Amino acid sequence: MHPTTFDLFADTEAGQQPRADQIGEQSWVLRGFALPCVDQILTALEAILLAAPLRHMVTPGGFSMSVGTSSCGALGWITDRSGYRYSTVDPLSGFLWPEMPEVFSELARNAASKAGFADFNADSCLINCYVPGAKMSLHQDKDEKAYAAPIVSLSLGLPAMFLFGGFARGDKPQRIPLLHGDMVVWGGVDRLRYHGVLPIKQGHHPRLGEQRINLTFRIAG
Ligand code: MD3
Ligand code: FE
């Protein structure tokens, strides 16, 4: 499938080319959508990671994830030997996850709205940190209570090659490059598609150094 592309904004700022690429029936890449507020996002993110540091969680099968993770919001996604689930408490600290900053929830709501999903109120933000070589294998997101709401993501730092598959693990995925400031909204019929991230390539990002951070906003509860 070839993505269709069109201008998102009437008032395109000089030097930027905000646009939307349709990658599925109800899935959109909003190129550079977060760039205007990326400094505020990173400031808020630093505070969250002081309270709830990145850690390498263990899958039910006993493998340590290559991606470092944390969360903010009412619910955080966790995994350990007993399974994948959402928890109100950070298992590392025993305290509630840090609150979701308004700049996070507003950005996610605006992105969802641009893609046609009104009133998106995320109760969970998963923070995934990739260093070169880290990856995420093809999987479906099935730990949320309802699949009606979309999922919204923000890519920061090093580029990634996102894999957007079909409804069976064996379906050949599309490869979608994601850059610093890009947002993706997946919903409706595309919500249960297989997806993953190829190993991140070596590189240096002027703002984030040798890492990619992905924020995934969901209605989990
Ligand atoms: C596509 N994270 O945490 S963005 C995940 O870049 C995850 O860290 C990736 O997959 C990352 O589960 C991809 C999030 C994402 C989430 C759900 C999806 C992409 C999706 C559901 C359907 C299709
Ligand atoms: Fe996922």
Side-chain angles (χ1 to χ4, degrees):
M1 188 206 304
H2 291 278
T4 54
T5 299
F6 60 81
D7 280 340
L8 254 189
F9 305 96
D11 54 334
T12 298
E13 280 174 48
Q16 281 185 220
Q17 282 144 328
R19 63 203 181 93
D21 295 334
Q22 186 168 17
I23 57 170
E25 232 181 291
Q26 289 182 276
S27 302
W28 301 85
V29 182
L30 310 179
R31 297 287 174 195
F33 190 85
L35 290 177
C37 67
V38 88
D39 286 340
Q40 291 164 268
I41 295 283
L42 290 174
T43 301
L45 183 59
E46 278 172 21
I48 291 164
L49 294 180
L50 287 177
L54 295 165
R55 79 292 307 259
H56 293 272
M57 292 194 191
V58 175
T59 64
F63 296 99
S64 217
M65 294 179 69
S66 62
V67 172
T69 63
S70 184
S71 281
C72 66
L75 290 167
W77 182 85
I78 62 171
T79 175
D80 57 22
R81 289 307 301 243
S82 36
Y84 305 122
R85 62 201 179 275
Y86 282 90
S87 170
T88 57
V89 168
D90 175 355
L92 203 58
S93 69
F95 296 117
L96 297 178
W97 294 104
E99 270 189 54
M100 186 155 352
E102 212 163 309
V103 60
F104 281 27
S105 36
E106 281 301 303
L107 177 64
R109 158 185 287 267
N110 289 337
S113 156
K114 283 283 178 207
F117 299 93
D119 302 319
F120 179 66
N121 282 315
D123 61 10
S124 175
C125 172
L126 175 65
I127 302 158
N128 287 146
C129 180
Y130 300 73
V131 295
K135 65 176 170 62
M136 195 167 289
S137 307
L138 276 183
H139 66 279
Q140 292 173 296
D141 287 17
K142 293 177 115 174
D143 302 322
E144 297 71 34
K145 278 233 172 70
Y147 302 146
I151 291 179
V152 174
S153 91
L154 165 60
S155 291
L156 297 165
L158 289 178
M161 193 60 83
F162 178 70
L163 300 174
F164 191 45
F167 299 97
R169 190 184 293 278
D171 296 347
K172 187 182 161 71
Q174 302 177 62
R175 289 171 167 226
I176 295 153
L178 294 178
L179 305 179
H180 181 71
D182 288 349
M183 296 193 72
V184 192
V185 182
W186 297 268
V189 296
D190 295 321
R191 177 64 182 72
L192 288 177
R193 292 239 227 165
Y194 277 88
H195 59 278
V197 179
L198 287 183
I200 300 294
K201 289 192 177 154
Q202 293 284 352
H204 181 88
H205 187 272
R207 190 64 211 273
L208 278 146
E210 333 276 283
Q211 60 183 336
R212 168 182 191 248
I213 294 183
N214 186 84
L215 306 183
T216 304
F217 299 93
R218 298 185 171 89
I219 299 180

